[in-house]
Amino acid sequence: MLHMGHALNNVLQDIIIRFKRMQGCNTLWMPGMDHAGIATQNVVEQELAREGLTRHDLTREEFIARVWQWKERYGGVIINQLKRLGCSCDWSRERFTMDEGLSRAVREVFVRLYHDGLIYRGDYVIQWCPRCHTAISDLEVEYKEVNGHLWNVRYPLQDGTGELVVATTRPETMLGDTAVAVNPEDERFRGMVGKQVILPLVNRAIPDIADPYVSMEFGTGALKITPACDPNDFAVAKRHNLPLVKIMDGSAIINENGGPYQGQDRYVCRENIVKDLEDQGYLLGREPYLHNVGQCYRCKTDIEPSVSTQWFVKITPLAKEAIAAVVEGKTRIIPPGWEATYFEWMNNIRDWCISRQIWWGHRIPVWYCGGCGKTIVASVDPAACPDCKGLKLSQDEDVLDTWFSSALWPFSTLGWPDETAALKTFYPTSLLVTGFDILFFWVARMMMMGLYVMKEVPFRDVYLHALVRDENGEKMSKSKGNSIDPLEMIDRFGADAFRFTLAAYTAQGRDVRMSEERIEGHKHFVNKIWNAARFSLMNLDDYPAPAATGAKLITEGASLPERWIIHRLTLVTTEISRQLDEYRFNEAASSLYQFIWHEFCDWYLELMKPTLYGKDQPEKRTAAQANLYQLLSAILKLLHPFMPFVTEEIWQTMDDRRDSIMVSPYPAFDPALVDEEAAREMTLIMGIITAIRNIRGEMEIPPAKKLHVSISAPEDVSRRVISTGSHYITHQANLESLILGNETAEPKGSITGIVGDCRVYVLLEDTIDLAKKRAKIEKELSRVDKDLEQSSKKLANRDFLAKADPRVIEKEQEKSRDLLHRHRILEESLKKFREILTTS
RNA sequence: GGGCGGUUAGCUCAGCUGGGAGAGCGUCGGCCUUACAAGCCGAGGGUCAUAGGUUCGAUCCCUGUACCGCCCACCA
């Protein structure tokens, strides 16, 4: 029921909604609509089919009641499933798709368009589904490649002077031919134009006409014109005032115009026609031909282009406004790449066939007077004919295309045509989140209708998210059986992990390839958060939850890791806010992941452990607890839009008197908490710890073995930082001793790590393989030399020095100096090793 | 036929205005260190599809080519 596309759409939307709400924004978004009108009707028709019925065996009212019944059930289930994802969905709004309010709006808009001359009724070749017995719009046709044939058929000239050979993929439609056409420039047919040809089998005389539409290159150069079966032929026929011969009924069965073929199915008829043509010597040949056949998007039946009387919206004037709105930036399409597609479609748009011969939908508000035949278009049911006062009125049987009513959503749901407060407050809405697959169906039409009715765009931002595909990049669909069930994912990995995964893989303009492994990875992340919170709360058990207001992060007198993590939190907060403002979901997710796991957990919590455990310095512990509490709160808030469940759970555990985290204020940027100095100092401390760990790992020294380390730090600043933070280094790198000097010589038998301008010497035991030590140094030296060579080359380039940005040059010089420094140190150690190796 | 997008580590993908090639998973090595083995600490791994061009400098900009994918049109 709930499929991936639904899940992605609702989750992305929910992330923005929660984020904006926490920021105190009073915005309205377009809810992800369960646009299941047609789909539901389909299901109901299938149900009926199992009972051996069609919808025509029921009355219209009975049928609609059944659809409602099904929709209620379906809708209710969907709502509950969305709740499990942490997304809210207002079923009362869903209901609105067919209720009285919308019905009023639909009629009102129809009438307005009609009176503005933008709706007309006319004959045109439309796409017709012979199974659903309804017109469908061009967009609803799905083309499928099929191996067909191209038949060449002789059409003899009436005067017996020759023949025309036409090529066709659909020989059965010749029953409806009313002309044969050639290109006026085509020399081959000079003299034939204007003559009559005999339509084989039917023996009807039809003219040979000239029209530039015919391509000289394709087929035989002669084209049969079947105006009732092909929109292009229809256009040609109009130009030449040709008659229309309709040869099929609504079920694609040949009608009385088909003579002996009457009553045959179109494909049966094709076989018979081909056979008869062959028998009578009219068939000149048949070649295999690969072409596309349109199918109904609902039932996959081959569609039958067929001339019929339908209602159309004259779309060009509406499209013009909708184009302008995007050009002028009144509505932003995100990612902007889709703008081109939008313009392309809008510029080449064709009139919109809005009538459907189905039963579920809004009836067209048009009545015909049985007395005088007048057409009445009205927003309220007319009681009598305004002309002849006759009472025998019948409403048009057709209903409107579902997208007609959907197009009114942004304002009809807010109460239009009444001037409600909601409408005044929330129109235009701030954001629409939807899949690009309905850019034309829905988004473009909402734009047009919104501008037409409200004289203002329906939304400021349109965020078009990607399609969800499976691991192999195939579009997920129930029929292919490759869909991953979101509910199963929730059961196995949790809603939070699933949500986070959806966000993490939603990069703009790319499809999402869903795989279980990724969700599992994020389940680990949720687990990490849970454990980090558990650890924090364990160390906060004697810390009273502060009053909701006034509690702040304390930098005054705070330790280095605290100053640093507060600094980082501040930066990450702005980063995430910006990323979400720009709908960069994957980046926001990545920022959170990196910060929480690799900064908060890996460094801050680890470094704070001694303080938090320490019973000897209770005042330090209390101060650390205050910050820990605030940091954890802030992290939960940042995370909340992505992981509503686990964050709320922890939030309430921290202080069960609190309101939901959902309504807590989102962390805001505080310039007072920026501390570049702390960042620099921590970078040095972390660098030294990492360097020591690196050496330990490379040399395969067991973690339990305590090391002797000495550090040479020429700069006073560095020395002070290391000195103050020495206990962090000792603890994290598991040291026995740490000696600090300004120009300490490399102790014998040690291995060197370089961090900035500092050298870190790790004393090794003699038992360690000397060759291994040497190999490590050599490896690093070659790496440094490679970089150094590249850098020197660059700096030796005059053009570079002359033309590059001075900041880039300065950076390069600094890099070069650093590399040279490293090179020297490594050379030195290597020299020493050679000496040891030769002496021993 | 027209338009759009993709090609980056073994896999899946980030890389937003040209100056350091990155993440997750997987792999390898070491750890049951009192939040977490769903974990911790480290390591290895890429001619950024290809051929040119612009530039001091190109994964990034331009052009051509190859392969993959999507959308639109549907010349019978």
Side-chain angles (χ1 to χ4, degrees):
Chain A
M1 295 277 242
L2 180 73
H3 60 263
M4 254 327 156
H6 252 127
L8 177 68
N9 181 244
N10 280 281
V11 164
L12 295 183
Q13 191 169 265
D14 191 63
I15 288 170
I16 297 292
I17 291 168
R18 287 178 189 265
F19 169 65
K20 290 287 180 193
R21 179 160 50 200
M22 287 170 78
Q23 285 190 328
C25 296
N26 182 26
T27 53
L28 187 76
W29 52 91
M30 287 299 305
M33 180 165 74
D34 167 32
H35 188 83
I38 290 287
T40 313
Q41 165 159 339
N42 251 353
V43 174
V44 171
E45 283 185 18
Q46 281 164 17
E47 276 185 357
L48 288 174
R50 275 197 291 275
E51 298 166 33
L53 301 170
T54 74
R55 69 179 151 97
H56 296 280
D57 295 320
L58 277 63
T59 64
R60 187 191 280 259
E61 287 65 34
E62 282 168 348
F63 180 79
I64 288 173
R66 259 182 110 134
V67 175
W68 259 124
Q69 212 177 17
W70 207 89
K71 203 167 156 57
E72 289 276 2
R73 201 163 7 120
Y74 172 82
V77 170
I78 287 274
I79 301 314
N80 284 331
Q81 290 173 342
L82 283 173
K83 274 185 191 155
R84 293 186 54 200
L85 259 177
C87 302
S88 59
C89 187
D90 189 348
W91 177 233
S92 62
R93 290 202 157 197
E94 296 293 332
R95 272 197 72 118
F96 198 75
T97 55
M98 275 302 284
D99 84 353
E100 278 305 309
L102 185 61
S103 187
R104 229 180 102 206
V106 165
R107 286 179 172 204
E108 185 66 35
V109 171
F110 187 97
V111 170
R112 281 194 194 193
L113 285 166
Y114 185 82
H115 289 308
D116 285 348
L118 294 171
I119 278 188
Y120 63 93
R121 189 169 192 240
D123 289 339
Y124 194 71
V125 175
I126 43 84
Q127 312 282 9
W128 179 268
C129 175
R131 187 147 154 214
C132 304
H133 291 106
T134 181
I136 59 178
S137 73
D138 298 329
L139 281 173
E140 289 163 344
V141 179
E142 289 173 0
Y143 286 93
K144 204 181 129 196
E145 221 170 47
V146 291
N147 284 305
H149 299 282
L150 196 58
W151 282 274
N152 289 332
V153 184
R154 297 166 49 190
Y155 282 34
L157 287 169
Q158 195 176 32
D159 59 13
T161 55
E163 62 184 19
L164 276 165
V165 179
V166 301
T168 179
T169 53
R170 300 200 56 196
E172 73 279 11
T173 61
M174 67 176 289
L175 298 170
D177 286 0
T178 54
V180 173
V182 298
N183 191 291
E185 306 292 318
D186 202 328
E187 293 297 332
R188 290 173 291 179
F189 305 108
R190 211 43 33 135
M192 293 189 190
V193 175
K195 289 188 174 180
Q196 297 282 310
V197 298
I198 300 294
L199 191 58
L201 309 182
V202 184
N203 292 322
R204 205 169 62 221
I206 55 173
D208 176 25
I209 58 165
D211 194 284
Y213 161 70
V214 184
S215 154
M216 300 202 289
E217 286 77 38
F218 191 88
T220 58
L223 169 66
K224 61 192 220 46
I225 299 295
T226 322
C229 292
D230 184 288
N232 295 312
D233 291 8
F234 183 81
V236 173
K238 271 221 153 151
R239 283 199 286 274
H240 296 268
N241 287 317
L242 298 171
L244 251 74
V245 177
K246 222 177 143 162
I247 56 159
M248 287 180 216
D249 67 9
S251 304
I253 305 291
I254 306 299
N255 66 13
E256 66 280 2
N257 291 326
Y261 304 97
Q262 181 175 0
Q264 295 180 4
D265 170 79
R266 53 185 163 164
Y267 295 127
V268 173
C269 178
R270 176 183 299 179
E271 283 177 30
N272 292 331
I273 294 252
V274 168
K275 191 172 168 292
D276 292 345
L277 284 172
E278 201 165 11
D279 289 349
Q280 297 178 32
Y282 288 112
L283 197 63
L284 264 187
R286 186 186 86 161
E287 43 194 274
Y289 185 66
L290 191 67
H291 64 140
N292 288 327
V293 171
Q295 295 185 335
C296 171
Y297 78 108
R298 299 170 64 200
C299 67
K300 313 296 173 200
T301 306
D302 290 356
I303 52 104
E304 188 61 48
S306 173
V307 70
S308 71
T309 310
Q310 303 289 340
W311 290 92
F312 295 89
V313 173
K314 204 183 271 179
I315 208 82
T316 319
L318 300 177
K320 218 177 114 192
E321 297 294 316
I323 292 167
V326 174
V327 170
E328 289 162 16
K330 288 179 182 161
T331 291
R332 286 199 307 163
I333 297 179
I334 302 148
W338 286 106
E339 278 183 10
T341 313
Y342 173 85
F343 291 139
E344 170 72 16
W345 188 72
M346 282 289 197
N347 282 318
N348 299 303
I349 198 164
R350 290 200 284 179
D351 282 355
W352 177 14
C353 173
I354 49 168
S355 42
R356 296 286 181 277
Q357 291 68 45
I358 50 179
W359 282 352
W360 171 261
H362 298 275
R363 288 281 285 277
I364 288 177
V366 172
W367 288 261
Y368 306 102
C369 175
C372 64
K374 187 184 165 59
T375 299
I376 304 147
V377 179
S379 52
V380 288
D381 293 16
C385 175
D387 279 9
C388 69
K389 310 295 172 205
L391 297 174
K392 287 179 89 179
L393 299 178
S394 57
Q395 188 173 3
D396 196 299
E397 283 297 314
D398 292 357
V399 301
L400 288 161
D401 179 9
T402 330
W403 298 106
F404 186 94
S405 49
S406 305
L408 316 184
W409 241 66
F411 48 91
S412 64
T413 46
L414 296 173
W416 189 91
D418 296 334
E419 281 188 32
T420 62
L423 193 64
K424 274 191 193 135
T425 312
F426 293 115
Y427 194 95
T429 66
S430 49
L431 169 68
L432 168 74
V433 177
T434 194
F436 63 77
D437 49 331
I438 51 175
L439 178 61
F440 305 140
F441 283 117
W442 197 30
V443 181
R445 279 150 181 184
M446 281 195 283
M447 286 292 287
M448 293 189 286
M449 288 300 197
L451 284 161
Y452 173 70
V453 174
M454 300 296 296
K455 312 292 174 216
E456 175 61 285
V457 294
F459 22 70
R460 295 291 176 209
D461 285 359
V462 178
Y463 177 77
L464 295 169
H465 64 250
L467 226 56
V468 185
R469 297 176 184 280
D470 69 0
E471 292 149 288
N472 304 317
E474 303 251 335
K475 185 174 171 176
M476 280 192 190
S477 70
K478 267 171 243 156
S479 53
K480 274 187 201 151
N482 64 345
S483 57
I484 296 179
D485 180 4
L487 297 171
E488 192 196 328
M489 294 303 107
I490 295 172
D491 287 341
R492 286 173 54 195
F493 306 112
D496 286 333
F498 180 56
R499 280 175 69 115
F500 197 83
T501 308
L502 287 173
Y505 289 96
T506 300
Q508 284 190 7
R510 281 245 322 218
D511 289 343
V512 177
R513 281 200 200 190
M514 189 44 61
S515 80
E516 292 181 9
E517 290 82 58
R518 298 166 184 223
I519 308 173
E520 189 172 19
H522 287 121
K523 176 185 159 192
H524 296 172
F525 181 43
V526 177
N527 186 246
K528 184 76 179 176
I529 292 159
W530 179 254
N531 279 309
R534 201 158 62 97
F535 170 76
S536 303
L537 292 171
M538 263 165 60
N539 288 287
L540 288 169
D541 59 355
D542 58 340
Y543 178 78
T549 52
K552 282 167 82 172
L553 287 158
I554 304 150
T555 48
E556 187 78 28
S559 64
L560 177 59
E562 289 177 284
R563 284 164 55 217
W564 167 76
I565 198 74
I566 290 167
H567 166 78
R568 288 294 307 140
L569 173 74
T570 307
L571 296 191
V572 165
T573 298
T574 45
E575 213 173 282
I576 293 168
S577 298
R578 201 192 64 237
Q579 286 157 340
L580 282 181
D581 279 338
E582 295 172 4
Y583 311 108
R584 299 183 182 277
F585 294 95
N586 61 325
E587 291 180 17
S590 161
S591 297
L592 277 166
Y593 190 95
Q594 165 68 24
F595 175 71
I596 294 171
W597 199 317
H598 299 303
E599 294 185 313
F600 182 77
C601 291
D602 287 354
W603 286 104
Y604 163 77
L605 285 183
E606 289 303 324
L607 289 170
M608 292 309 290
K609 271 179 182 175
T611 311
L612 290 167
Y613 290 160
K615 294 192 173 79
D616 44 326
Q617 291 171 308
E619 70 288 344
K620 275 197 174 180
R621 178 163 182 264
T622 311
Q625 281 176 321
N627 275 334
L628 176 59
Y629 191 94
Q630 295 307 322
L631 282 161
L632 183 61
S633 296
I635 283 175
L636 291 175
K637 289 178 185 180
L638 291 175
L639 202 53
H640 179 257
F642 296 84
M643 298 189 178
F645 294 106
V646 75
T647 49
E648 183 74 67
E649 180 65 27
I650 298 166
W651 182 258
Q652 292 302 330
T653 311
M654 285 172 80
D655 180 359
D656 55 16
R657 299 163 303 173
R658 286 203 277 200
D659 284 335
S660 166
I661 188 169
M662 201 189 307
V663 293
S664 68
Y666 201 76
F669 176 71
D670 180 357
L673 299 179
V674 173
D675 190 345
E676 297 292 350
E677 193 188 11
R680 274 194 302 276
E681 292 180 5
M682 260 305 274
T683 304
L684 180 59
I685 298 286
M686 291 190 296
I688 289 169
I689 293 167
T690 304
I692 298 170
R693 282 173 177 170
N694 184 324
I695 291 168
R696 186 194 285 276
E698 291 274 293
M699 295 296 113
E700 290 176 11
I701 306 165
K705 172 80 189 161
K706 286 186 182 288
L707 300 171
H708 294 277
V709 166
S710 65
I711 299 173
S712 169
E715 297 284 333
D716 291 347
V717 190
S718 308
R719 232 168 23 251
R720 183 185 54 75
V721 171
I722 296 167
S723 169
T724 325
S726 63
H727 58 291
Y728 298 124
I729 300 170
T730 308
H731 199 262
Q732 293 302 308
N734 196 20
L735 304 186
E736 178 70 47
S737 67
L738 176 64
I739 299 162
L740 182 65
N742 64 343
E743 266 309 330
T744 320
E746 180 176 344
K748 201 178 163 188
S750 71
I751 195 149
T752 312
I754 304 157
V755 182
D757 58 350
C758 304
R759 304 179 198 190
V760 181
Y761 306 117
V762 177
L763 270 69
L764 300 182
E765 304 239 319
D766 293 340
T767 48
I768 303 283
D769 188 354
L770 283 172
K772 200 181 254 172
K773 296 182 204 171
R774 200 180 136 182
K776 176 175 162 59
I777 295 168
E778 276 173 343
K779 192 176 104 191
E780 200 170 339
L781 184 61
S782 82
R783 203 179 289 173
V784 167
D785 283 354
K786 202 177 131 197
D787 290 351
L788 186 60
E789 194 194 327
Q790 215 173 15
S791 184
S792 312
K793 219 164 142 186
K794 219 175 196 177
L795 288 168
N797 186 336
R798 273 189 201 171
D799 287 328
F800 174 71
L801 295 172
K803 294 179 185 175
D805 187 327
R807 280 170 301 186
V808 173
I809 298 172
E810 198 182 322
K811 210 171 144 193
E812 195 62 41
Q813 283 167 337
E814 200 175 309
K815 185 176 145 195
S816 185
R817 274 198 298 272
D818 181 58
L819 285 167
L820 196 63
H821 177 72
R822 281 161 177 267
H823 171 86
R824 290 208 187 108
I825 294 165
L826 290 164
E827 278 276 81
E828 215 172 283
S829 338
L830 201 60
K831 212 169 114 192
K832 267 185 200 156
F833 262 98
R834 286 204 196 96
E835 282 164 17
I836 296 168
L837 285 170
T838 45
T839 53
S840 63

